[in-house]
Amino acid sequence: MKPTDTLRPGERLFALLLVIFAGYAFWESYEISGFRGLTTGGVMPMLASGIMALTGLVILSDTLRKPRTAEGGIAGLITYLFPLRVVLFTLLVAIYVAVIPSIGFLAASGGLLFVTIWALWRKCPLPALLIALLSIAAIYVLFRVVFQVVLPIGSFWR
Amino acid sequence: MIETLGFFATAWLDPSLFLLTALGTFAGIYIGAIPGLSVTMAASILISFTFKWDVNEALALIAGVYVGGVYGGARTAILLNIPGAPSAIATAIDGYPLAKKGLAGEAIGLSTVMSVIGGLIGVAALAIAAPLIADFAIKFTSRDYMLLGIIGILLVGTLSGESFAKGAFAGALGVMIGMIGLDPMTAETRFTYGSINLMGGVPFVVAMIGFFGVAEALVQLEHVDTAAIKQKVGRIVPSWADVRRYLGLGLKSSGLGTLIGALPGTGGDIAALLAYDQAKRSTKNPDVPFGEGAKEGLIAPETANNAAVGGAFVPMLTLGIPGDAVTAIIIGALYIHGLKPGPLLLTDTPHLFWFIVGNLTLANIFLLIFGLTGIRIFTKVVECPRAILIPLIVILSAVGAYAIQNNPVHITWALAFGVIGYFLKRYGFQVGPIILGVILGPMIDANYRRAMIGAQENIGTFFYDLLSNPISLVLTCALLFMFVTQLPFIKNRKRHR
């Protein structure tokens, strides 16, 4: 991957957030065992978070040297990092994870497959429904029957 | 000797292992070929449901997928100008122009035969070099393993990423994730926040599925509307004259590929790019200029990336340091089965080592068979729209994450890692070092603490030991060299030259 010459939308803010996160991680690591000794459980986390903080600062300083892109600002950031398709897809996946305990893995997965394939493919719903059903059948046979994985049934069906 | 041959032939004689290798290679070709699916992603999902299997069966399937997947990327590179895997990026440069001239079948046939030659040379190098390196590696101490672990993480970061700082940050983040849970030495809790689920730590397979599978699916959403290109496929089996003509270049590229693959942190992608560059420099009068359909430009990267597979197993089996992201996952598979990759693996479990050698050889034979057949059907399959693939990847990731411990919380973790991975990828971070950090972090932690206890918690003695022992000194110098070569003024000087 080649480094880009211009700043990506939101790159500086992201680098700043990384530094803050690294600082927090260092504090949490210190809380494990402080500076009690060189072989305590907190030493390696402190070293790792220290490296994160240091390299985070280097990354942040790199972003300060790069010129901004024409598509900067909040609008540019939203287009670059949060395209509607990614946001909606992630939301659907989050709903999927939330409903697994109630409706079970197979029903939730089938629902997610149908909705997302239909929405992304932008064709009539029947092929999307067929693909979703076939995929779920294949997953059931492969995981439940062949590999004997006990898939979550869901409280609704009990 | 006879015993070794018996171990080598295990996968050839056991019908289930034989079939699993065939199935893995076949599936690998398709996984490697379909843009959006990667071998790393597939191997990480496979581990989640093969961990209850016998180790040989799990390895047969994963090694088959690895061999097939590295090759499979070339097919879409030739047919569609979309490398199915990073190791096929160089293949597309001359492969696609060949396809546009109506020579897609010939290009696929030639790349298959040369890939198999490269793959077999890589396996031969593994068989010869690994026992020698393992004999030497027995002399390694805790501090040497600590240094090797750090070098492994940093090499992946520096060679595959945008900048050294980003690679090091990602590696350290992985180490932090690997630290979550109970400290194995003192049973102290680390970053658990009172959660019982976190006390057991983050299974690296969950992290792998999230960072490779889900994150890649989110990134691929951007390309969901890209239409597939259709190509005509003619004669497939290459002529003997062509094979003989390019054999010299194939052998040279195989040697280079094996060497590059054996370096921790490098893999088929770097091997292929270097071999392409080498072929371009050394071929005096190609029939067709490079970039316009030169067969040399197709053969060099394809031979090198498959040779790198055997090479990548050398540091993994002898030092416990993965050669690339897939071998990092295979290390995980070995750990799951109670095996510890490293110099003792070859002395304690020689059957496993020779089984892997035999299995990789068999996978290459299957590669030749499957590579030269079914190409016309294959062209239909790779046209599968991303709109179908992406949701399927997410569902497979979810079931894979759940299946490790039958714990629904792991699905949430995998998806959370996926979202973090998406942000990191968008800003030029590689996720490979994170996974290596998760896997190698606990090993580095344990070896650091053993070495420090050995030095009686005296930091002066610790550093004196690092500099006075020849092996530790060489590794420390290698680590320092990596840092120095990444300093901005050295990099600028290199670029200027």
Side-chain angles (χ1 to χ4, degrees):
Chain A
M1 192 182 286
K2 282 182 186 169
T4 52
D5 296 328
T6 51
L7 207 58
R8 298 175 176 101
E11 192 168 4
R12 199 171 288 161
L13 176 68
F14 186 72
L16 183 66
L17 288 173
L18 289 184
V19 175
I20 294 168
F21 171 70
Y24 170 73
F26 187 83
W27 172 252
E28 284 289 321
S29 307
Y30 171 77
E31 289 281 289
I32 296 170
S33 49
F35 292 116
R36 281 206 318 264
L38 290 168
T39 55
T40 57
V43 173
M44 191 51 66
M46 272 199 282
L47 282 172
S49 54
I51 291 169
M52 279 166 65
L54 203 69
T55 49
L57 285 170
V58 173
I59 296 163
L60 181 64
S61 74
D62 280 347
T63 63
L64 294 173
R65 268 185 244 125
K66 284 183 183 175
R68 283 176 186 275
T69 47
E71 307 91 31
I74 299 288
L77 175 69
I78 290 170
T79 317
Y80 182 73
L81 206 56
F82 304 106
L84 189 63
R85 197 181 275 165
V86 173
V87 174
L88 290 178
F89 188 83
T90 312
L91 272 176
L92 281 172
V93 172
I95 294 167
Y96 159 71
V97 175
V99 299
I100 288 177
S102 13
I103 63 167
F105 182 82
L106 291 175
S109 301
L112 179 76
L113 276 177
F114 169 62
V115 174
T116 49
I117 292 174
W118 183 28
L120 292 172
W121 210 10
R122 278 174 271 169
K123 291 199 174 173
C124 73
L126 203 63
L129 184 68
L130 204 67
I131 291 168
L133 287 174
L134 282 173
S135 308
I136 288 304
I139 286 171
Y140 180 80
V141 170
L142 192 70
F143 285 90
R144 185 69 196 97
V145 180
V146 180
F147 299 120
Q148 307 207 326
V149 175
V150 184
L151 298 168
I153 299 164
S155 53
F156 182 79
W157 310 107
R158 286 203 189 108
Chain B
M1 183 65 189
I2 290 169
E3 198 182 30
T4 304
L5 270 176
F7 298 149
F8 177 88
T10 312
W12 298 63
L13 301 174
D14 184 313
S16 65
L17 295 174
F18 188 83
L19 283 173
L20 281 169
T21 311
L23 179 71
T25 314
F26 182 77
I29 294 173
Y30 282 82
I31 290 164
I34 297 171
L37 288 182
S38 70
V39 185
T40 323
M41 184 197 288
S44 59
I45 291 171
L46 274 179
I47 280 193
S48 62
F49 63 83
T50 57
F51 73 98
K52 280 182 188 164
W53 295 12
D54 175 71
V55 65
N56 283 359
E57 290 175 354
L59 283 176
L61 189 67
I62 295 168
V65 168
Y66 187 16
V67 171
V70 168
Y71 157 80
R75 286 197 170 179
T76 35
I78 293 166
L79 290 168
L80 314 172
N81 200 23
I82 305 167
S87 57
I89 291 168
T91 312
I93 303 172
D94 282 283
Y96 187 61
L98 276 167
K100 281 205 291 188
K101 289 176 188 169
L103 299 171
E106 203 179 315
I108 289 174
L110 201 56
S111 70
T112 305
V113 172
M114 291 319 228
S115 290
V116 172
I117 291 172
L120 291 174
I121 289 171
V123 177
L126 167 69
I128 296 163
L132 301 175
I133 294 173
D135 282 347
F136 174 67
I138 285 173
K139 295 171 187 149
F140 281 33
T141 59
S142 295
R143 60 177 177 272
D144 302 325
Y145 278 107
M146 175 196 75
L147 290 167
L148 271 175
I150 299 169
I151 290 171
I153 295 172
L154 288 183
L155 264 174
V156 170
T158 52
L159 290 170
S160 59
E162 209 174 79
S163 77
F164 179 75
K166 286 183 175 174
F169 185 95
L173 176 64
V175 173
M176 288 294 285
I177 297 170
M179 294 292 111
I180 294 172
L182 292 178
D183 174 7
M185 280 181 153
T186 61
E188 260 176 310
T189 54
R190 299 195 279 201
F191 314 112
T192 56
Y193 304 99
S195 157
I196 294 167
N197 281 311
L198 283 173
M199 278 185 190
V202 176
F204 65 84
V205 181
V206 173
M208 232 158 18
I209 288 174
F211 283 113
F212 281 113
V214 182
E216 188 57 33
L218 293 176
V219 171
Q220 289 288 330
L221 277 172
E222 199 183 341
H223 311 289
V224 87
D225 295 324
T226 314
I229 307 159
K230 293 175 185 181
Q231 289 289 356
K232 269 187 179 175
V233 178
R235 178 196 156 149
I236 292 156
V237 180
S239 67
W240 174 239
D242 259 1
V243 175
R244 214 172 44 188
R245 184 176 169 197
Y246 298 114
L247 193 62
L249 175 67
L251 293 176
K252 207 163 68 176
S253 305
S254 301
L256 185 67
T258 309
L259 267 176
I260 303 287
L263 292 175
T266 56
D269 44 354
I270 294 165
L273 286 165
L274 286 178
Y276 182 85
D277 181 60
Q278 179 60 29
K280 199 174 169 184
R281 285 168 197 268
S282 62
T283 309
K284 294 275 183 274
N285 298 307
D287 292 340
V288 180
F290 276 83
E292 294 175 25
K295 286 182 183 169
E296 291 88 347
L298 172 78
I299 289 159
E302 271 313 293
T303 333
N305 63 25
N306 273 72
V309 172
F313 273 84
V314 176
M316 185 201 94
L317 293 175
T318 56
L319 305 171
I321 302 297
D324 61 4
V326 183
T327 40
I329 295 166
I330 296 174
I331 279 192
L334 293 175
Y335 275 124
I336 284 172
H337 288 94
L339 297 159
K340 203 178 165 198
L344 292 176
L345 186 97
L346 270 77
T347 47
D348 292 350
T349 51
H351 59 276
L352 189 79
F353 172 73
W354 289 107
F355 166 75
I356 290 173
V357 173
N359 184 233
L360 287 173
T361 312
L362 183 63
N364 274 290
I365 306 290
F366 281 124
L367 186 64
L368 186 66
I369 298 164
F370 298 138
L372 295 176
T373 52
I375 292 168
R376 283 176 189 88
I377 303 166
F378 174 89
T379 53
K380 301 282 169 215
V381 176
V382 292
E383 286 162 15
C384 177
R386 281 189 173 91
I388 299 170
L389 272 180
I390 294 169
L392 277 174
I393 290 169
V394 172
I395 298 295
L396 283 176
S397 298
V399 71
Y402 169 80
I404 304 158
Q405 292 173 9
N406 285 0
N407 189 347
V409 172
H410 290 165
I411 303 178
T412 319
W413 291 1
L415 297 173
F417 285 135
V419 174
I420 297 168
Y422 167 77
F423 288 132
L424 290 171
K425 276 173 173 244
R426 293 299 278 160
Y427 288 116
F429 288 79
Q430 290 289 308
V431 292
I434 303 179
I435 301 306
L436 278 181
V438 178
I439 295 171
L440 296 178
M443 183 269 254
I444 295 171
D445 182 33
N447 281 298
Y448 156 76
R449 287 156 87 178
R450 271 187 219 125
M452 194 47 104
I453 290 166
Q456 285 152 358
E457 294 210 33
N458 184 322
I459 205 152
T461 314
F462 180 79
F463 279 107
Y464 176 77
D465 288 345
L466 280 184
L467 301 174
S468 59
N469 177 288
I471 297 171
S472 307
L473 182 65
V474 169
L475 292 171
T476 309
C477 288
L479 195 59
L480 287 174
F481 176 77
M482 281 173 58
F483 275 112
V484 172
T485 50
Q486 294 300 322
L487 288 172
F489 71 91
I490 303 271
K491 280 182 96 175
N492 288 341
R493 218 171 130 184
K494 266 199 223 164
R495 217 172 286 153
H496 185 68
R497 271 189 199 165

